[in-house]
Every structure is written in C-alpha cells, then in structure tokens.
Amino acid sequence: FLAFPGPLFLHERASFWSFAAAEKVRRDLIDFGLRIGQRLEATGNAHEARSIYLRTLDHYPDAGPVCKALIKERLSRRDFEAAVDDYARYERALRAAGEAAPAVEIRALVEPYLVRLTR
C-alpha cells in the first residue's frame, strides 16, 4: 500500500481501456486503504489509521468513503473541529474535481458542528 506510486495514466491521454484500468486501480486502492484503516482503528491505532486514510487521499482526494472514515475517526475522539476541517478538505477536493456537492451522509456527520463552530 505504501509503495503505491499514484494514479495510473495521470498525465497521459485516456483511452477506453486505460480509463477502465485506472478506475479499477482507484477503486481497489480506496477499498484497500479503508480496510487497512478500519483494522488499525479496531486495534486502537487511530493515529496510524488516520495516516493510511490521508495517504489514500493524497492519491484520490475526492474519495468519499475515505473522507467519511477520516471524519468518523475524528468524531469518535470528540475532535469536532478537526472533523470539520477534514470535511472542508473534502468539499475543496470535490470542487477541484468538478463535482457538484458533497455526499449528504458525509455532510450529516459534521452538520451539528458546522453550526456550532460558525457561531
């Protein structure tokens, strides 16, 4: 996982086969990062889990499931401000990727704290 060099065909012209291959690698790496992070969390290694989630987001910053796991990890430690920061990074990544809006379920995780921190 840590040796993964980054997204496939990032600076090359995409063809059907290369797009499909790159998307499969993306899905697999995101799934792998989530599984590693969740296993680390389950064994009490929240700091290492966060490191894995962030490493995954280095390659795929708009990966909603990873952002969700990262935010949930922060909330489990009652670090509400950091959870809101992680959510803000997720929103920025979506805008940069040209996506419209964050997933409703991810925004719902931080909604109570967005209101509280903006007062």
Side-chain angles (χ1 to χ4, degrees), residues 40-96:
L40 287 167
E41 281 187 71
T43 60
N45 293 315
H47 180 73
E48 289 180 44
R50 179 169 173 73
S51 176
I52 294 296
Y53 296 145
L54 289 172
R55 173 76 172 161
T56 306
L57 292 174
D58 283 345
H59 297 303
Y60 301 108
D62 60 337
V66 178
C67 293
K68 181 179 177 182
L70 189 60
I71 291 167
K72 287 177 78 172
E73 188 278 322
R74 292 284 207 176
L75 292 174
S76 74
R77 291 186 294 117
R78 304 186 60 78
D79 192 348
F80 306 122
E81 190 171 337
V84 169
D85 289 344
D86 289 335
Y87 176 75
R89 179 185 9 198
Y90 168 60
E91 280 189 325
R92 287 190 303 273
L94 289 177
R95 281 194 300 273

Side-chain angles (χ1 to χ4, degrees), residues 3-8 25 59-60:
F4 180 69
L8 296 182
V25 168
H59 297 303
Y60 301 108

Side-chain angles (χ1 to χ4, degrees), residues 3-57:
F4 180 69
L8 296 182
F9 310 113
L10 186 60
H11 301 292
E12 298 176 30
R13 215 165 114 168
S15 63
F16 177 73
W17 75 267
S18 64
F19 179 75
E23 186 56 30
K24 179 173 179 1
V25 168
R26 180 185 196 280
R27 280 191 316 269
D28 289 350
L29 186 83
I30 289 169
D31 180 59
F32 193 41
L34 283 170
R35 286 187 289 126
I36 293 169
Q38 290 165 349
R39 186 166 294 159
L40 287 167
E41 281 187 71
T43 60
N45 293 315
H47 180 73
E48 289 180 44
R50 179 169 173 73
S51 176
I52 294 296
Y53 296 145
L54 289 172
R55 173 76 172 161
T56 306
L57 292 174

